[in-house]
Amino acid sequence: MIYNISGVILAGGAGKRFNGTTKATIVVDGKTIISRILDVFRIIFEEIIIVTNTPEEFTGFADNCIITGDIYLNKGPLGGIHSALNEATRESVFIVGGDMPFLDKEIILNQIKFFERNYCECIIPSMGQNIEPLHGIYKKSVLVSLEEYLRLDNNYAIREFLRVIDICYFPVEDSEKSRLAFTNINYPSDLRYLNKDRD
């Protein structure tokens, strides 16, 4: 069990591509995505935070979880990261998107070990040319820079914010296992292809 890092699920989002359905509540392989994430998180993290602006959707999943909402609204995932850092009682947070149904415990634990060996504010997985900011570990010290960034009229893409903090990249082998672990559901068509591939 990890006690110095909070596990955080960014479960918000307008769900515009899913006719208003929050992606974390979508069912994949018979279970909601939020349940699948929590199954992994509860093995690893002592403190779990769900960031959502519709907390009523998660009351059935949130036993022993902290539920919090965005302080800065309409800032995308950066607003969720800010709220998580603000709410967490641990020195760092491990952040995932609420649309990632196939998290891999081994990859997460290896990323935490890498984080403990490196002196960076943020650890982001990299697989080939791709990076995964929503499978990242962020120190509480990031909060000062992020607060300042959100107050300005900036581009609120996570990748733009990463330019202003000290980050290290955690190299991940490009494999079927890794690609599955980083899979996120962006469109209804992703679900159809995913189900087809796993039949």
Side-chain angles (χ1 to χ4, degrees):
M1 187 71 71
I2 302 295
Y3 294 96
N4 63 335
I5 301 174
S6 302
V8 176
I9 305 165
L10 301 188
K16 293 177 182 177
R17 296 166 181 163
F18 286 86
N19 296 318
T21 299
T22 302
K23 288 191 286 184
T25 65
I26 291 170
V27 174
V28 175
D29 286 354
K31 296 184 72 171
T32 60
I33 296 176
I34 187 77
S35 294
R36 298 174 68 86
I37 295 172
L38 286 170
D39 284 348
V40 177
F41 269 26
R42 285 182 170 131
I43 297 171
I44 300 173
F45 300 107
E46 198 272 338
E47 180 171 89
I48 298 173
I49 300 170
I50 300 173
V51 182
T52 175
N53 292 320
T54 55
E56 65 279 0
E57 292 190 83
F58 297 97
T59 54
F61 306 100
D63 290 347
N64 301 315
C65 296
I66 298 167
I67 298 183
T68 190
D70 289 341
I71 298 169
Y72 288 92
L73 297 175
N74 303 315
K75 306 296 186 184
L78 277 182
I81 293 172
H82 171 269
S83 292
L85 289 167
N86 192 71
E87 189 70 31
T89 65
R90 311 307 155 94
E91 63 189 41
S92 305
V93 295
F94 175 83
I95 302 269
V96 298
D99 59 355
M100 301 177 73
F102 303 114
L103 295 180
D104 186 282
K105 175 187 172 185
E106 183 180 2
I107 291 175
I108 294 171
L109 291 176
N110 285 337
Q111 185 173 340
I112 290 171
K113 289 177 183 176
F114 184 88
F115 171 72
E116 291 171 344
R117 295 195 304 266
N118 289 274
Y119 298 96
C120 299
E121 288 186 298
C122 177
I123 299 291
I124 302 294
S126 63
M127 188 170 63
Q129 297 300 310
N130 298 315
I131 64 171
E132 300 291 341
L134 289 185
H135 196 288
I137 303 175
Y138 299 78
K139 287 186 177 179
K140 289 273 281 189
S141 59
V142 170
L143 188 56
V144 175
S145 298
L146 183 52
E147 181 94 21
E148 181 179 345
Y149 190 87
L150 290 171
R151 285 177 175 173
L152 300 174
D153 186 20
N154 280 309
N155 179 334
Y156 297 119
I158 298 178
R159 291 166 189 255
E160 291 300 314
F161 173 68
L162 293 179
R163 298 175 187 272
V164 305
I165 60 174
D166 177 31
I167 68 172
C168 294
Y169 290 106
F170 165 59
V172 178
E173 180 185 5
D174 188 351
S175 66
E176 183 176 348
K177 173 184 176 180
S178 301
R179 290 193 295 273
L180 185 64
F182 295 135
T183 294
N184 64 315
I185 308 300
N186 284 315
Y187 299 93
S189 58
D190 293 337
L191 280 175
R192 290 194 292 271
Y193 283 118
L194 191 62
N195 290 330
K196 181 179 178 181
D197 289 344
R198 293 172 62 81
D199 284 343

